[in-house]
Amino acid sequence: MYKEEYSYNDMKRDLQIGREFEFIYNGVTYYLSRTKQGWILVSSDGLETESATYNELLENIFDNKNIKDLWDKIEIVQVF
């Protein structure tokens, strides 16, 4: 998926309706998925972070930075 065609606002809208997505940041692949308890962020290098809401995960996703602030460094792979 091309980033020019998929914006931060598109991602937020998709998460609101329950979609999940896969992206790459700093060479690591991440999956943001729903669980019975809320949401989980899983990385290809073993990181797992759970939260009741996707907003909590997006607010402090990497080094206490909001994913919106890092959007230009993120490569969207797939939206489920």
Side-chain angles (χ1 to χ4, degrees), residues 25-77:
Y25 174 71
N26 279 345
V28 179
T29 302
Y30 294 88
Y31 305 94
L32 184 57
S33 301
R34 294 183 334 164
T35 67
K36 289 183 180 183
Q37 295 79 24
W39 291 82
I40 188 166
L41 178 69
V42 180
S43 74
S44 59
D45 66 358
L47 169 77
E48 284 190 23
T49 305
E50 294 187 55
S51 181
T53 68
Y54 64 83
N55 279 320
E56 290 175 6
L57 288 175
L58 298 180
E59 288 300 315
N60 295 305
I61 198 163
F62 303 109
D63 301 321
N64 296 321
K65 293 185 180 178
N66 185 307
I67 196 169
K68 185 175 184 178
D69 298 332
L70 302 171
W71 193 251
D72 61 333
K73 297 176 182 172
I74 290 174
E75 176 188 343
I76 301 298
V77 176

Side-chain angles (χ1 to χ4, degrees), residues 3-40:
K3 179 76 130 301
E4 297 81 32
E5 298 172 10
Y6 193 75
S7 70
Y8 174 77
N9 289 331
D10 292 334
M11 182 208 56
K12 291 280 288 196
R13 180 201 62 229
D14 285 347
L15 290 171
Q16 287 173 347
I17 62 172
R19 296 186 79 179
E20 303 170 343
F21 76 104
E22 174 183 1
F23 63 95
I24 298 171
Y25 174 71
N26 279 345
V28 179
T29 302
Y30 294 88
Y31 305 94
L32 184 57
S33 301
R34 294 183 334 164
T35 67
K36 289 183 180 183
Q37 295 79 24
W39 291 82
I40 188 166

